[in-house]
Amino acid sequence: MKYDHEAIYKAYPEVKLIRDDDAAYDVNGAKVTLDQSKVDAARVTLDAEAAAVKYKTDRTTDGSTTYASTGDQLDLLWHAIDADADLKTKFASFYNSIKAVKDANPKP
């Protein structure tokens, strides 16, 4: 039998070990009797919690369109500023600090 480990841990915080071929056990090694309706309710709660932050995971790790790495985003920003003289003035401290690093370490 394959148990829903995550739901069992949610429903039974005292459970410390789950053996799919056997049962669930507490920290003292005592067998914990599982009530499937309690495990099912925990699964519903876990699914609701996951849905509540789905927008975040969709944009960071699991989605089809994820944000670029922070470094890539900053590089895009720097290149946008580099292409616009007005922005170079408005964001001079940011632009010049990055430009100094780029000038000191040119691409091969």
Side-chain angles (χ1 to χ4, degrees):
M1 170 185 247
K2 178 83 169 119
Y3 290 108
D4 183 345
H5 291 228
E6 188 180 20
I8 291 170
Y9 289 130
K10 177 84 170 170
Y12 295 91
E14 71 276 16
V15 168
K16 300 301 176 198
L17 172 68
I18 301 168
R19 293 188 186 146
D20 284 330
D21 61 340
D22 187 19
Y25 298 89
D26 67 15
V27 70
N28 298 317
K31 195 177 217 180
V32 176
T33 303
L34 302 177
D35 176 350
Q36 189 60 47
S37 64
K38 191 172 178 180
V39 174
D40 292 343
R43 170 50 52 207
V44 169
T45 300
L46 288 166
D47 290 347
E49 290 169 355
V53 295
K54 184 177 183 318
Y55 72 93
K56 182 178 178 182
T57 57
D58 281 353
R59 289 163 180 80
T60 56
T61 55
D62 298 333
S64 59
T65 303
T66 58
Y67 287 125
S69 70
T70 303
D72 288 346
Q73 290 180 52
L74 288 171
D75 191 53
L76 289 168
L77 177 61
W78 187 85
H79 284 289
I81 295 169
D82 189 45
D84 186 309
D86 188 44
L87 292 177
K88 284 182 189 177
T89 302
K90 289 180 180 178
F91 299 104
S93 61
F94 172 82
Y95 176 80
N96 291 330
S97 67
I98 302 298
K99 183 162 180 22
V101 173
K102 287 183 175 285
D103 289 348
N105 302 283
K107 286 185 179 178

